[in-house]
Amino acid sequence: MHLSSWYRCNGCIEMDLRQLRTFVVVAEAGGFAAAQQHLHLSQPAASRQIQALEAELGIPLFDRVGRGIKLTSEGEDLLRRGRRLLQDAESFGERARALRTGKAGALRVGCSTQHIETVLANFLPTFRRKHPSVVIELIEDGGARVPDRLQRGDVHLAIIPAADDGYHRRLLAPVHMLAAVSPRHSLASRRKLEIAELADESLLLLRRDFASRGWFDAACNVAHIRPRVILESAAPHTLLALAKGGNDVAIVPSNVQIPSTGVRAFPLIHRGASIGRWTAVAWDPQRFLAPYAESFIEALVAYCGRHYPGRQFAKRVSPLPKPEQTKV
């Protein structure tokens, strides 16, 4: 930051930061002569800056002792504060430069609880280490409501099901609908299950603000079955816990963390085709996309290509159709 700016203190004192820097450098060097090489000022010019600062502050900063100088008690007190002010000014300038070059800023990302738990919780630490000046704020909401957040401008990016919605997007991973049951359930040995076979089962479903619930309801309509629902919950782990201990079937998306023991999960299909959607990171093309947001998108796409949840279930069914995507 160029130190020719002025600093206003409580509306009563205007202080040239060049003068403040001269004061700090002279005090730390122990005199004008020793400070010359750091200031690139002549001794008379530096002395005039100190005098002007003293006049502005209304207090002496140095005692003149012979040909030397010594900090006054007031000068000693202000030296510490002066250092902090200069550090803050420099930090302010660095932040502005980073913002100007797109290396720093705030990024609001809207997504569901499942994406936070199974994707972002592991992705964000690495991204933050590489981009320490980017502040990531997560906006958690039901998957069916996250697109509304993007439309209103509440978030810069949203992790949502890929759809023909006018947003630009990059694909992340396929999400398949799963049925989860106790190992003692009659369906536990299945590797996949036709949705019509759920007609007589008691079902544990997510609430309708989950995007995956909409996929399941649509598939039931197409298959002409009326599901027998005994619980609708906002917590996938609640559904899995109930399925583990009983004879009910939990319906959850494959981006939920499935316990390694106590429950068996398998993809739901309709006439051989998997029920699900591709997820994507989306943004509004009408709004400015900062360079650090572009870096976030590229890093997230690469991460999901290696680590997306539910990969083991995708191997049991035919691939979901891939929607078109947009280059950043």
Side-chain angles (χ1 to χ4, degrees):
M1 180 178 182
H2 194 277
L3 296 180
S4 61
S5 306
W6 288 80
Y7 174 75
R8 181 178 295 275
C9 176
N10 295 328
C12 60
I13 292 178
E14 289 187 351
M15 182 169 52
D16 188 333
L17 290 178
R18 291 176 302 180
Q19 297 172 357
L20 180 61
R21 180 172 182 269
T22 298
F23 162 61
V24 170
V25 171
V26 169
E28 290 179 340
F32 289 102
Q36 254 185 293
Q37 60 180 341
H38 300 292
L39 291 172
H40 306 293
L41 287 174
S42 66
Q43 184 169 334
S47 181
R48 285 193 298 270
Q49 286 195 10
I50 295 295
Q51 290 170 2
L53 183 59
E54 289 177 323
E56 183 66 43
L57 297 175
I59 56 174
L61 298 173
F62 294 101
D63 285 327
R64 276 67 178 177
V65 182
R67 293 186 177 181
I69 59 172
K70 182 180 179 181
L71 278 170
T72 63
S73 59
E74 295 90 345
E76 289 179 355
D77 181 86
L78 291 179
L79 177 60
R80 295 189 296 272
R81 300 173 188 273
R83 288 192 188 106
R84 287 201 298 271
L85 280 173
L86 292 175
Q87 290 169 356
D88 287 345
E90 184 62 29
S91 175
F92 185 88
E94 290 174 355
R95 184 70 178 178
R97 286 192 295 273
L99 289 169
R100 187 171 63 247
T101 59
K103 295 180 180 179
L107 183 63
R108 296 190 303 277
V109 181
C111 54
S112 67
T113 306
Q114 288 70 50
H115 284 118
I116 293 175
E117 179 184 8
T118 59
V119 176
L120 296 181
N122 292 322
F123 165 77
L124 285 178
T126 300
F127 182 84
R128 283 171 169 151
R129 283 195 299 272
K130 293 181 178 178
H131 303 271
S133 297
V134 179
V135 178
I136 306 295
E137 180 182 353
L138 299 180
I139 309 298
E140 179 184 338
D141 208 338
R145 293 196 300 260
V146 173
D148 295 334
R149 296 270 196 171
L150 185 59
Q151 183 180 36
R152 293 196 303 266
D154 295 346
V155 297
H156 302 108
L157 301 175
I159 300 176
I160 57 178
D164 186 16
D165 47 24
Y167 297 126
H168 285 187
R169 61 177 177 254
R170 290 290 303 279
L171 298 180
L172 296 178
V175 175
H176 302 268
M177 291 306 303
L178 305 179
V181 297
S182 160
R184 300 179 298 276
H185 197 282
S186 60
L187 298 173
S189 62
R190 299 295 190 90
R191 286 184 56 79
K192 52 190 175 183
L193 183 72
E194 279 285 343
I195 193 169
E197 295 184 69
L198 293 176
D200 297 325
E201 301 291 339
S202 54
L203 303 182
L204 308 165
L205 301 184
L206 291 168
R207 293 192 319 206
R208 296 182 189 278
D209 54 346
F210 284 76
S212 60
R213 172 63 188 274
W215 313 342
F216 177 76
D217 288 346
C220 287
N221 288 335
V222 172
H224 304 293
I225 65 170
R226 180 172 295 178
R228 184 157 59 93
V229 182
I230 63 170
L231 175 66
E232 294 179 305
S233 173
H237 293 105
T238 297
L239 304 184
L240 292 171
L242 290 171
K244 179 180 178 180
N247 200 42
D248 307 315
V249 181
I251 306 298
V252 295
S254 61
N255 60 350
V256 168
Q257 189 70 48
I258 304 295
S260 57
T261 60
V263 68
R264 302 282 173 82
F266 37 85
L268 280 177
I269 57 176
H270 175 60
R271 296 181 179 176
S274 177
I275 300 168
R277 299 285 190 281
W278 273 84
T279 56
V281 54
W283 63 97
D284 188 338
Q286 302 301 316
R287 295 189 174 96
F288 171 71
L289 190 66
Y292 53 81
E294 296 179 10
S295 298
F296 182 94
I297 291 169
E298 294 295 347
L300 184 61
V301 169
Y303 176 85
C304 288
R306 300 187 303 268
H307 303 292
Y308 75 83
R311 184 188 299 267
Q312 69 273 29
F313 300 111
K315 296 177 180 178
R316 304 184 192 179
V317 292
S318 57
L320 291 171
K322 255 190 176 183
E324 293 184 1
Q325 57 181 333
T326 314
K327 290 185 178 180
V328 178

